[in-house]
Amino acid sequence: MRQRLTAFALATGLALLVTAPVTADAPRRELTVTGSGKVSVRADTALTTLGAETTRPGFTDAIGDVAKRMNAVLSAVKALGVPEEDIKTVTYSVEARTPKPGDAGDPGRITGYRVTHLVQIKVRKIDHVAAVVEAAVAAGANAVRVVSLAVEDPSEALARARAIAVKNAKDRAWELASAAQLWLDRILTITESEMQVTPDGDAKARPGQVEIGVTVTVQYGIMRWSPYSRVLPPMP
């Protein structure tokens, strides 16, 4: 009887020695994948960046001309119903101009000043954006840089895009792990990139649509399959 107990103890101890390195003592292995998700939604807001810029020999003349133009532009835009809080300055710069290479005279002297003042205008009725831009140009705006569509509250679409991105990363991780005869362990880290809002690639068929995209990077622990392992792979 004592011999049987001793044999059983030895067999149990041997099994523990064989399985322990696989589950606890094995070196940490990692697999990092990226996943992306995009959702198309109807835009409910338009954004336009426009303003005035000029180059004059004198500093006072340059900033005065731009200020005069912008006062008229803002008055015209507000007359169309755009509130003050939907207008914000995004660029105001003054650049001293110097002679070009090869010009006569002192190359370090200032020959003039270029002043630029741009504002971003949020238009809450998309079909009014053309009228806003035309009114601004008629009032003196000579720089129209961007006209784009946006979504005022993208939180719902962002949540859907995020879920798609995480699933995409998970599917890709399982494909790679299976090809390498590995098992995925728990998620170690997950990070999300900045949200992107871009025109829908099918915008001609569905005007007014934008895509909200999210990219995630997921790091998994991985385990090599072993016939002695007592750890079952998690379900995908």
Side-chain angles (χ1 to χ4, degrees):
M1 182 67 176
R2 179 177 300 173
Q3 292 178 345
R4 292 181 180 179
L5 291 174
T6 301
F8 177 78
L10 289 173
T12 304
L14 181 60
L16 291 174
L17 289 174
V18 171
T19 57
V22 177
T23 59
D25 300 331
R28 178 174 173 177
R29 297 183 177 90
E30 301 168 358
L31 173 65
T32 302
V33 294
T34 59
S36 59
K38 294 181 179 180
V39 174
S40 294
V41 294
R42 186 169 184 81
D44 55 19
T45 305
L47 299 174
T48 178
T49 300
L50 52 79
E53 54 188 5
T54 190
T55 302
R56 295 292 182 89
F59 176 77
T60 301
D61 290 340
I63 61 173
D65 180 52
V66 167
K68 181 179 178 180
R69 286 175 177 270
M70 288 306 296
N71 287 336
V73 167
L74 296 179
S75 295
V77 168
K78 292 176 183 178
L80 293 178
V82 178
E84 181 76 31
E85 58 268 23
D86 287 344
I87 305 172
K88 66 178 181 180
T89 295
V90 292
T91 299
Y92 188 89
S93 64
V94 180
E95 177 188 357
R97 309 306 293 266
T98 56
K100 297 179 181 179
D103 289 351
D106 180 7
R109 77 183 190 281
I110 295 176
T111 60
Y113 298 88
R114 184 173 186 82
V115 179
T116 302
H117 185 184
L118 301 176
V119 296
Q120 183 186 76
I121 302 172
K122 179 184 291 185
V123 184
R124 298 181 183 274
K125 294 183 179 180
I126 295 178
D127 54 347
H128 289 181
V129 66
V132 170
V133 172
E134 290 174 355
V137 171
N142 58 2
V144 179
R145 299 292 170 80
V146 178
V147 178
S148 61
L149 300 180
V151 179
E152 179 70 15
D153 182 8
S155 56
E156 182 180 351
L158 180 60
R160 288 190 285 143
R162 187 180 291 120
I164 294 171
V166 171
K167 185 179 184 304
N168 180 246
K170 184 178 180 181
D171 291 344
R172 184 172 298 178
W174 274 103
E175 289 176 4
L176 292 172
S178 298
Q181 295 184 340
L182 299 171
W183 286 341
L184 290 183
D185 198 0
R186 66 187 184 279
I187 292 177
L188 303 176
T189 62
I190 181 168
T191 57
E192 176 185 326
S193 69
E194 184 178 356
M195 177 190 70
Q196 297 179 345
V197 180
T198 57
D200 194 320
D202 194 23
K204 292 182 179 179
R206 295 176 297 173
Q209 295 284 323
V210 295
E211 277 188 348
I212 295 181
V214 173
T215 301
V216 296
T217 301
V218 185
Q219 186 180 60
Y220 287 91
I222 54 175
M223 300 178 293
R224 185 172 298 280
W225 181 86
S226 169
Y228 299 106
S229 176
R230 295 181 178 180
V231 179
L232 296 178
M235 296 299 292

